[in-house]
């Protein structure tokens, strides 16, 4: 396991940093381990603005509640308590490991553990499996920082197992590749192609949210091209339902590859407008999957 000291936060709002460090300090003073984890650590290393700071701790949910005056049991069955400070809220989650995933989307059981490395082991990609201590020390057991520096997306452990646990991770891999300009490593791409049929287990809403983030991101064409190359969306629940009803030839009631799906007021939604503008710049035949995903 690599442990590296880093400089002070540079991509975090100062007030958020002060209040987040206070939460860590209270947890540590209470005799518990506590680290910043996930996207905030990743984005700081990438020089991207940090919008929220998640915390992982060895404290059990009831112990977290006892330490702070204002808390919300956001997902207490999975170990998550939201700590409310004066200006910011922080999700504090107990170190855990997950097992026996149901329907390729959710863990059947969650077990609280004492080691941060065990908690990091359950995460999707190495760049999201880095913890940062109060003193700036990085806990990086899967070389996520090196993958960030090399611009690559790699699963924690065996890629096939990560996608078997939660098939939406395949969509997330494409989104991160599109948003960050990173490249998936061969083992990830091979596992994605082999496991793409599992996307049919994921609710359409969750797939739609990932697709919206791709379309509204900084390089939607890259994301759409990766989706087309992988054929991933053809296995989405909405695509399969449309194929059953309309023969898969644009049978869904949404817009075609060059069209725009309406928003709630009848006007094209921002995601639909962005999709249309992207598709107009390429061969529309490459995006036959787009009619199967509709935006609100």
């Amino acid at each position: 396991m690599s442990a590296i000291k880093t400089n002070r936060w540079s991509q975090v709002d100062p007030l958020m940093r002060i209040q987040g460090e206070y939460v860590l300090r209270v947890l540590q003073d209470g005799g518990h381990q506590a680290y910043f984890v996930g996207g905030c650590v990743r984005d700081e290393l990438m020089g991207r603005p940090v919008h929220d700071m998640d915390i992982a701790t060895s404290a059990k949910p009831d112990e977290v509640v006892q330490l702070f005056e204002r808390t919300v049991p956001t997902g207490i069955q999975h170990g998550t308590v939201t700590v409310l400070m004066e200006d910011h809220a922080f999700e504090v989650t107990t170190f855990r490991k997950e097992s026996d995933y149901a329907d390729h989307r959710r863990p059947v059981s969650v077990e609280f553990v004492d080691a941060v490395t065990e908690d990091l082991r359950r995460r999707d990609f190495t760049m999201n499996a880095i913890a940062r201590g109060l003193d700036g020390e990085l806990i990086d057991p899967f070389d996520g920082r090196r993958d960030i520096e090399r611009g690559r997306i790699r699963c924690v452990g065996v890629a096939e197992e990560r996608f078997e646990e939660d098939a939406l991770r395949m969509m997330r891999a494409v989104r991160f590749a599109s948003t960050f300009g990173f490249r998936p490593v061969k083992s990830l791409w091979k596992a994605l192609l082999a496991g793409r049929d599992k996307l049919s287990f994921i609710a359409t809403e969750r797939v739609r949210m990932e697709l919206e983030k791709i379309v509204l991101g900084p390089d939607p064409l890259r994301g759409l091209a990766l989706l087309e190359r992988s054929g991933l969306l053809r296995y989405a629940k909405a695509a399969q339902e449309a194929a059953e009803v309309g023969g898969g030839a644009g049978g869904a009631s949404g817009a075609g590859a060059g069209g725009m799906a309406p928003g709630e007021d009848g006007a094209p939604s921002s995601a639909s407008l962005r999709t249309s503008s992207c598709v107009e710049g390429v061969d529309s035949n490459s995006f036959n999957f787009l009619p199967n995903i509709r935006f609100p």
Side-chain angles (χ1 to χ4, degrees):
M1 175 179 64
S2 57
I4 305 171
K5 286 286 187 68
T6 60
N7 296 325
R8 292 184 65 83
W9 296 93
S10 64
Q11 301 297 318
V12 181
D13 172 79
L15 197 57
M16 183 190 297
R17 175 186 61 78
I18 291 170
Q19 294 179 6
E21 290 179 345
Y22 173 80
V23 174
L24 251 68
R25 193 170 291 109
V26 169
L27 288 165
Q28 291 181 351
D29 290 346
H32 309 289
Q33 302 173 58
Y35 299 90
F36 293 111
V37 292
C40 65
V41 181
R42 177 200 67 214
D43 289 346
E44 174 69 27
L45 290 172
M46 293 177 63
R48 295 171 55 88
V50 173
H51 301 293
D52 51 58
M53 303 178 81
D54 291 339
I55 295 169
T57 179
S58 59
K60 303 300 188 292
D62 61 315
E63 295 173 322
V64 175
V65 171
Q66 292 173 6
L67 287 171
F68 298 94
E69 292 183 3
R70 301 168 61 214
T71 60
V72 178
T74 316
I76 202 162
Q77 70 275 17
H78 294 119
T80 300
V81 174
T82 299
V83 174
L84 304 177
M85 301 300 293
E86 292 85 351
D87 305 279
H88 296 278
F90 300 88
E91 285 195 355
V92 179
T93 303
T94 304
F95 298 157
R96 70 181 195 236
K97 64 179 181 179
E98 303 165 342
S99 60
D100 299 327
Y101 284 70
D103 299 329
H104 310 289
R105 55 185 176 180
R106 60 177 182 271
V108 172
S109 61
V110 171
E111 179 184 346
F112 297 145
V113 295
D114 296 322
V116 64
T117 52
E118 190 68 26
D119 183 78
L120 297 175
R121 191 182 307 277
R122 69 178 175 82
R123 298 175 185 268
D124 50 7
F125 308 112
T126 58
M127 63 182 177
N128 295 331
I130 308 172
R132 176 177 172 140
L134 193 58
D135 60 355
E137 180 183 30
L138 294 182
I139 308 300
D140 184 14
F142 306 105
D143 291 328
R145 185 176 189 176
R146 183 172 64 179
D147 285 336
I148 290 173
E149 293 170 349
R150 295 184 177 183
R152 62 190 185 189
I153 302 174
R154 185 164 56 90
C155 288
V156 174
V158 180
E160 289 83 357
E161 293 178 1
R162 300 292 81 77
F163 295 154
E164 178 76 21
E165 293 165 350
D166 185 353
L168 191 68
R169 287 171 171 169
M170 294 182 284
M171 288 290 295
R172 284 168 56 82
V174 172
R175 171 163 64 87
F176 287 138
S178 172
T179 301
F180 302 148
F182 284 11
R183 65 186 187 281
V185 299
K186 290 182 179 179
S187 60
L188 184 153
W189 191 253
K190 181 179 179 181
L192 187 152
L193 295 179
R196 58 190 177 180
D197 61 304
K198 298 179 181 65
L199 194 65
S200 63
F201 289 89
I202 304 301
T204 299
E205 173 67 14
R206 295 183 70 200
V207 174
R208 181 186 66 81
M209 289 176 65
E210 289 295 328
L211 184 55
E212 279 189 345
K213 291 177 182 178
I214 292 171
V215 169
L216 296 175
D219 192 358
L221 279 181
R222 175 177 171 81
L224 294 174
L226 286 170
L227 287 174
E228 193 279 331
R229 283 181 57 193
S230 67
L232 191 58
L233 286 185
R234 296 187 181 93
Y235 294 88
K237 185 174 295 185
Q240 295 193 346
E241 290 174 352
E244 292 174 1
V245 173
S253 59
M260 296 175 287
E264 292 181 0
D265 58 357
S269 68
S270 58
S272 298
L273 286 167
R274 187 68 175 269
T275 302
S276 178
S277 64
C278 292
V279 173
E280 287 170 2
V282 297
D283 179 6
S284 62
N285 291 328
S286 298
F287 296 93
N288 291 328
F289 55 83
L290 285 175
N292 300 320
I293 297 293
R294 300 189 294 277
F295 299 100

